[in-house]
Amino acid sequence: MSYNVAIDGPAGAGKSTIAKAVAKSMNLIYVDTGAMYRAMALYMLRKGISLEDTEEIIEKCPQADITIRYENGVQVVLLNGENVNEFLRTEEVGSAASVISPIPEVRRKLVELQKNLAAQRDCIMDGRDIGTCVLPNAQLKIFLTASSEVRAKRRYDELVQKGVEGDLSTILEDIKERDYRDTHREESPLKQAEDAVLIDTSNMSAEEVISTISRMCRESREQ
C-alpha cells in the first residue's frame, strides 16, 4: 500500500514550496497538481479547441492521459507519453488552465488521474481539495494556512526578489478574492478535512514548517 500525504490550503500559503521540501526530505514523489491542469490546457490548445466551447472541452477531456514521474530527480509531466515540461509555463497555457480548471468534468478527470498516481507511488500532493476529494484516505493530512495579510506580504516579497513591481494592497485584495472563489465554488471547494492537522504559518519560518511536517510524516509512517 502506498503512503500518501495531502496538503491543502489557500493561495499563498506556501503549499508547493513546503511540499517539495518535505518530499525531498522524506523520499516521496511530489505531485504538482497545478502542472497537471496546465497539461490539460496544453492538450486543448494543441487540438485547437476554443476555450469558450465547454462542451467540446468536456468531450475531448478523456483523451488526455496525464501523469508525473521523476527523471534524475527532476519532475516530468507526461501528456499522452510526451514530456511537456517546456510548454507548461507560458502565459497562454497558464491562462487556458485558469479557464478550464473550474469545469467539473475536467476536475473529475484529473482527480481520477491523481488518485491512480497516488495508488501506485508514495507521494505528497498539494492543492485545494486533496484531503477532501483526491486523497481522502491519505495517512497524513495537513491544512496549511496563514493570515491573508501575511500571504500577501510573502507574494509581494517574491515579486520584489524577481525584480517585478507589485502593489501590496492589490495583491491582498486578489488573495481575498481567490479565497472567496475557492471556498464557495460548487465543485470541490476549499475546506479543511475533518482529520487534517491545521498549521498556521503566520509566525513560522519555512524551515520550521518543513521540520514540523517531516516529523509528522515519520510518526505517521511508524503507526
Side-chain angles (χ1 to χ4, degrees), residues 5-16:
V5 179
I7 298 184
D8 290 304
K15 299 183 298 296
S16 296

Side-chain angles (χ1 to χ4, degrees), residues 13-23 30 126 144 158 206 210:
K15 299 183 298 296
S16 296
T17 300
I18 299 302
K20 288 176 185 176
V22 173
Y30 167 61
D126 70 283
L144 203 64
E158 287 177 5
I210 293 164

